[in-house]
Amino acid sequence: MATLIDLPTDIAHLLFCRLGIPDVLNMRQTCKNMHSISQSRVVWQFLLTSLAKQQRPIPRLFDRSFDSLSPAELEHLTRKAWNLRQNWMTKSPVVKKTLIIQLEPLPNQGGLPPTFEFMEKTGKRHILTLMMKGPMPEGFLYDLQCWDLDVSPPRCIAQREVGSRYLTVNKSLDSLASLVVQSPSIEFLGIDYSAEDPVSGFYTVSKLQNITQRPVALNDSFLVTQNDQSQLYLVQLQKNNDDHIELRSSQPMLEAVFEVMIQNEVVIVIRRRILEIFSVGDINTSQMLIYPIAQHVFQWDIDSVSISPQTTWPQCLEHRYPTINLLVRFGSLLPWPVNLLHHFVLLPNPGFDGELHPSSNNLPYSDTPIVKRTISSPVRLFSKYHMALGSRGTAIFIDSHTEDYFHRGDVGQRLAGSYARDVSSVENDVEDSTEVESTMDSSVFGYRENDDWTRVAIDEEEGRIALGFLDGTIEIREYA
């Protein structure tokens, strides 16, 4: 009678590909033959591809193709991705590693706490930090630093003093300029990752001398700036000049700008109560104004918002424009915002013609964001709160829900998160479902009995969360 070890190798591979990752590892322990099969390239490439199709983040993959990886690397990445998602979705995710960056706050000056943002470049992930350093004759001086997170403690690889707190990271990974700062002119900076001295780590790629507005969004050849009156302007960098075109809102009274994102040939702008989409794909040289091709008015005023495009495995991307995730906390008539977060998704328009530029007759997105889920997130009067969205739609937020942990509701903070299931999965199209997920039972990543947390950022691809403190500390928690 034939047994499992008598099966032809290709049939055994086929069976292993139908097993879950824990089952493959258990089969490995049974005999030498099963141990050998469990190490084959066919099995682990199939399992890793399956995770990618489920839109699972794969830590340490970066921009490498699966074909370029060895069988051992495929197994390592598969197990790491599986372990991260299992940990990430529990009620209390376990921190695997903690990194600390200690910045020096401005003493007795009431300086701003540090701001920071994860960024990817050259097959590695870093974090940018900005800290107020001291007063100048006009304004304040800030310390801009880039940190390597692959070493412990994190190592500063680039450092520069800038005369403004306004900067934005380039969302294009292929561009020479990694970020743009206002200091005081618009200056595009690259990073020399091999520099021996951090002071020479940042270098100037180019400048725009005649533009005084602050940068709010940068993606490859498009830059969006904003003036003090909340007017937005588009700069086409490939034109090699300082000409800028106004992105004219349809509202007669300009509302405050909360978020700006450039995605391919459109600019998405979120103001206090309105979302506008501008087409920037077909602009003539004499054009001075661009009006929105679509807009959506929210039912209530926005208090705060986070926006992020949905990362999708390239083989599953059937549309040129990815799903856009919006995490919104609405304001209220009271001095504090509502105790709910709303996760909206802006879905690609299936009727969009990719051969044509976006227009009011050829919209790349549906003009109405869809509520995917609501999240309970109470905040107290005058308490500190913040939120961020991951590349896969996971929401991370700081709020005031503390009475369940140390029986006090008048002090303390909670770090919580909510994993978005199948936001843009091909198996579960949001458009075909009217169901709104209720996520009252958010995962709790931590809590504390004071209000020292000021800011949060998330690198969902690597399973990292960064927390900013009033004293200048930045704590990076790794869950992979």
Side-chain angles (χ1 to χ4, degrees):
M1 181 177 179
T3 63
L4 186 60
I5 61 175
D6 297 323
L7 291 176
T9 302
D10 56 342
I11 301 299
H13 284 159
L14 190 61
L15 291 174
F16 267 70
C17 290
R18 297 299 184 268
L19 298 176
I21 294 171
D23 297 325
V24 172
L25 298 178
N26 288 334
M27 288 292 291
R28 173 177 291 180
Q29 308 300 320
T30 58
C31 66
K32 291 183 178 179
N33 189 32
M34 295 296 103
H35 186 278
S36 176
I37 294 173
S38 72
Q39 291 183 314
S40 71
R41 178 185 190 86
V42 173
V43 171
W44 289 107
Q45 184 157 348
F46 179 88
L47 294 174
L48 187 58
T49 301
S50 298
L51 291 178
K53 288 181 177 180
Q54 296 171 33
Q55 310 308 331
R56 303 285 183 88
I58 303 174
R60 316 309 297 174
L61 176 63
F62 302 119
D63 56 353
R64 293 179 295 174
S65 68
F66 293 170
D67 292 337
S68 68
L69 302 173
S70 67
E73 289 174 322
L74 288 167
E75 177 181 346
H76 175 74
L77 291 179
T78 304
R79 295 176 66 172
K80 200 169 185 67
W82 189 84
N83 289 331
L84 169 61
R85 186 50 57 189
Q86 293 299 111
N87 187 22
W88 203 257
M89 295 179 64
T90 61
K91 297 297 183 184
S92 300
V94 177
V95 179
K96 302 297 184 180
K97 184 179 180 181
T98 301
L99 301 174
I100 300 294
I101 296 174
Q102 185 62 60
L103 305 178
E104 294 298 327
L106 197 60
N108 304 321
Q109 294 277 346
L112 294 173
T115 59
F116 46 87
E117 182 176 350
F118 287 107
M119 64 176 293
E120 178 185 355
K121 211 71 174 177
T122 67
K124 291 186 176 182
R125 277 184 158 82
H126 304 82
I127 192 169
L128 280 176
T129 63
L130 188 70
M131 189 75 181
M132 183 183 290
K133 190 172 183 180
M136 296 193 307
E138 297 181 2
F140 286 88
L141 188 66
Y142 294 83
D143 195 18
L144 173 65
Q145 295 175 284
C146 179
W147 300 83
D148 182 3
L149 299 180
D150 286 335
V151 295
S152 183
R155 180 175 63 91
C156 178
I157 61 174
Q159 182 176 20
R160 175 177 286 200
E161 293 180 349
V162 295
S164 169
R165 62 186 177 93
Y166 299 111
L167 66 87
T168 185
V169 173
N170 196 342
K171 300 306 179 184
S172 172
L173 301 181
D174 301 325
S175 178
L176 187 61
S178 298
L179 66 153
V180 58
V181 298
Q182 183 188 33
S183 186
S185 61
I186 297 292
E187 187 172 1
F188 298 87
L189 300 180
I191 302 176
D192 182 1
Y193 295 94
S194 61
E196 296 182 0
D197 185 358
V199 176
S200 59
F202 286 115
Y203 63 91
T204 301
V205 177
S206 60
K207 289 184 178 182
L208 298 178
Q209 298 287 358
N210 299 325
I211 294 181
T212 57
Q213 302 94 359
R214 58 181 178 268
V216 292
L218 174 65
N219 194 337
D220 197 18
S221 60
F222 291 115
L223 170 70
V224 176
T225 62
Q226 176 187 346
N227 65 14
D228 294 335
Q229 289 74 46
S230 297
Q231 294 172 311
L232 296 175
Y233 297 90
L234 177 75
V235 182
Q236 295 176 280
L237 303 178
Q238 74 273 21
K239 301 296 184 181
N240 295 320
N241 57 43
D242 293 352
D243 293 339
H244 53 279
I245 304 169
E246 183 182 353
L247 301 176
R248 177 69 62 86
S249 175
S250 60
Q251 300 297 299
M253 297 293 292
L254 283 181
E255 300 176 342
V257 176
F258 282 84
E259 285 282 359
V260 179
M261 189 183 75
I262 306 170
Q263 186 65 50
N264 297 336
E265 293 184 335
V266 299
V267 176
I268 300 173
V269 178
I270 302 178
R271 295 181 181 269
R272 184 171 297 279
R273 199 163 185 168
I274 189 171
L275 181 151
E276 297 177 314
I277 301 176
F278 296 84
S279 174
V280 297
D282 187 21
I283 303 174
N284 59 59
T285 56
S286 61
Q287 197 167 352
M288 300 302 294
L289 291 174
I290 301 177
Y291 289 93
I293 60 174
Q295 67 177 30
H296 171 76
V297 179
F298 291 99
Q299 188 173 0
W300 303 283
D301 287 351
I302 293 174
D303 173 82
S304 50
V305 61
S306 181
I307 183 171
S308 176
Q310 178 82 15
T311 297
T312 305
W313 195 47
Q315 285 80 346
C316 294
L317 187 61
E318 298 179 355
H319 199 285
R320 182 182 174 190
Y321 286 83
T323 297
I324 303 297
N325 292 297
L326 306 170
L327 187 63
V328 178
R329 187 188 291 276
F330 289 108
S332 71
L333 298 178
L334 301 171
W336 58 87
V338 299
N339 291 331
L340 288 174
L341 299 176
H342 292 78
H343 181 182
F344 293 88
V345 289
L346 193 60
L347 294 171
N349 177 14
F352 174 70
D353 186 350
E355 299 298 321
L356 303 176
H357 294 294
S359 68
S360 58
N361 297 319
N362 187 38
L363 293 175
Y365 287 103
S366 60
D367 55 2
T368 303
I370 298 173
V371 178
K372 176 61 179 173
R373 55 186 172 148
T374 58
I375 306 168
S376 174
S377 177
V379 294
R380 295 187 309 274
L381 179 63
F382 304 132
S383 64
K384 299 180 182 67
Y385 56 93
H386 195 250
M387 61 186 182
L389 265 176
S391 58
R392 309 281 175 163
T394 293
I396 297 293
F397 45 94
I398 298 170
D399 62 21
S400 308
H401 189 148
T402 56
E403 56 269 22
D404 289 346
Y405 312 109
F406 44 85
H407 308 294
R408 290 189 63 181
D410 61 331
V411 69
Q413 293 173 296
R414 176 183 73 156
L415 175 65
S418 179
Y419 169 64
R421 289 168 290 181
D422 300 323
V423 168
S424 61
S425 172
V426 293
E427 288 89 13
N428 183 20
D429 194 341
V430 177
E431 275 191 309
D432 295 334
S433 174
T434 58
E435 178 185 1
V436 177
E437 296 175 15
S438 177
T439 52
M440 307 291 282
D441 53 344
S442 302
S443 297
V444 178
F445 289 81
Y447 51 86
R448 57 191 295 111
E449 296 188 53
N450 55 42
D451 292 345
D452 285 349
W453 287 335
T454 61
R455 188 179 181 88
V456 65
I458 177 174
D459 178 4
E460 191 168 3
E461 298 303 307
E462 294 298 307
R464 287 171 172 155
I465 294 175
L467 281 165
F469 292 74
L470 283 172
D471 64 358
T473 301
I474 299 175
E475 182 180 288
I476 297 103
R477 300 180 176 184
E478 299 189 356
Y479 294 86

